[in-house]
Amino acid sequence: MRRIMQGVAAALIICGTTTVFTSCSANDDNPANGDGLAEKITGKWIQVDSDGEPMVTDRVSVYTFVKEGAGLKAYFSMTMAESQTWLFRQQVDVAVDAGSLTLTSPLANGSTAVVRMTDVSVSGSDLSLTAKTTICVDGRETATYGPHREHFTSVSTNYSAEDIIGTWDGYYACDDPAYSKPDPHRAVFRADGSCNYYYADEGGEFKVDPTVYSKYFVDGSLLSLCWLDYGDDQREQYENWEILSASKEKITARSFHKRPDGTIYTETYHLSKVDED
């Protein structure tokens, strides 16, 4: 059941839908459409908002559309703390029809997520669409979600894990002093996708944090982190950061957080590479 719900949440959050479905089938011919949608949407896109609400750090997604002949193939990455969803470059089938897209993704136990994207608009670096998701089990519709109006922006630099592997000293800057975390820390990112977080004690020596970061991935400008919450429910927690810049010496990333009153504040993550002998 958990695997099914992870797939459902991924399909729902990454792209919502507006057309009511009468079947669980998609257009397998994958035709090119007259307005060149396949060409316009090709590339990598990070989600900015859903129904006008900014994507906060515990739920962010990235789509990658790749031209394949006259049609498209696609991949998506996303994490969502609420549903314990952690997906990295999962492939989905794409059918293009006029100004619409249909994305089909197999889930666990024979279920399938079919996402219909309509009113698709691509203008420069901006992508907007209306989406509705239908969940099917053994060819039968079992649930629908949406419609949601989704907004994405194109990813100009395609970062990967190779850009952040290593040991980094870091600090957080926040536009709201009430949520500032000024203490320095150290982060280690490894080639196997694991990572650790260290804090500085009173003597300035770095100690491993009891809530240890366990894994991460990078897809385009999205850096996703996962660690175990040592509270009563032992739930994994996720943070998503948009990489603003990355070099061999420095990384800058940002994330958006929601206050209890629903307003948003911004946190910026600054990392400097540690020289190791």
Side-chain angles (χ1 to χ4, degrees):
M1 177 60 71
R2 177 176 173 179
R3 291 182 60 200
I4 293 175
M5 291 311 297
Q6 287 177 339
V8 170
L12 171 61
I13 298 303
I14 294 177
C15 47
T17 17
T18 117
T19 304
V20 176
F21 278 46
T22 57
S23 73
C24 291
S25 61
N27 183 353
D28 294 329
D29 293 333
N30 204 5
N33 56 300
D35 62 0
L37 178 58
E39 288 78 9
K40 293 177 183 178
I41 205 171
T42 295
K44 193 177 292 287
W45 305 85
I46 188 168
Q47 192 169 8
V48 176
D49 63 53
S50 177
D51 289 335
E53 291 290 326
M55 304 308 296
V56 293
T57 193
D58 63 352
R59 50 169 287 191
V60 180
S61 62
V62 166
Y63 265 106
T64 304
F65 292 96
V66 180
K67 195 77 167 61
E68 189 175 61
L72 290 170
K73 62 180 179 180
Y75 306 87
F76 67 82
S77 297
M78 67 92 64
T79 76
M80 181 179 177
E82 181 181 356
S83 62
Q84 298 287 274
T85 302
W86 177 270
L87 297 168
F88 174 54
R89 286 186 62 82
Q90 177 166 317
Q91 186 171 349
V92 296
D93 295 328
V94 184
V96 186
D97 182 17
S100 302
L101 301 170
T102 302
L103 281 70
T104 305
S105 178
L107 306 177
N109 299 331
S111 60
T112 302
V114 181
V115 181
R116 180 71 170 170
M117 297 178 171
T118 58
D119 302 321
V120 181
S121 173
V122 182
S123 177
S125 61
D126 291 321
L127 165 65
S128 60
L129 53 92
T130 301
K132 184 177 180 179
T133 301
T134 299
I135 304 302
C136 307
V137 177
D138 297 326
R140 296 179 297 103
E141 296 181 15
T142 59
T144 58
Y145 304 92
H148 299 288
R149 190 66 184 171
E150 312 286 357
H151 177 213
F152 297 76
T153 187
S154 63
V155 175
S156 58
T157 304
N158 189 18
Y159 298 108
S160 67
E162 285 73 19
D163 294 301
I164 70 166
I165 290 171
T167 302
W168 305 80
D169 283 352
Y171 69 93
Y172 299 95
C174 185
D175 62 2
D176 185 339
Y179 294 90
S180 294
K181 296 181 287 188
D183 296 335
H185 69 273
R186 178 164 290 179
V188 178
F189 298 97
R190 302 181 184 88
D192 65 359
S194 66
C195 53
N196 287 96
Y197 183 92
Y198 300 81
Y199 68 95
D201 63 14
E202 293 181 357
E205 183 177 354
F206 285 104
K207 304 287 188 180
V208 67
D209 192 283
T211 53
V212 179
Y213 283 106
S214 59
K215 58 185 177 181
Y216 74 97
F217 68 74
V218 178
D219 188 359
S221 59
L222 176 63
L223 167 60
S224 295
L225 301 169
C226 170
W227 71 97
L228 184 65
D229 182 358
Y230 285 90
D232 293 337
D233 59 2
Q234 295 284 294
R235 287 171 60 86
E236 288 183 341
Q237 299 296 323
Y238 307 131
E239 278 191 0
N240 297 283
W241 296 82
E242 181 184 2
I243 300 173
L244 302 178
S245 63
S247 68
K248 294 181 179 179
E249 294 81 26
K250 293 185 181 297
I251 297 173
T252 303
R254 71 177 176 185
S255 62
F256 299 101
H257 304 256
K258 185 175 289 188
R259 299 181 184 90
D261 64 2
T263 57
I264 301 296
Y265 67 93
T266 305
E267 196 166 36
T268 307
Y269 193 16
H270 298 274
L271 293 166
S272 298
K273 194 69 170 287
V274 175
D275 293 327
E276 297 179 301
D277 297 329

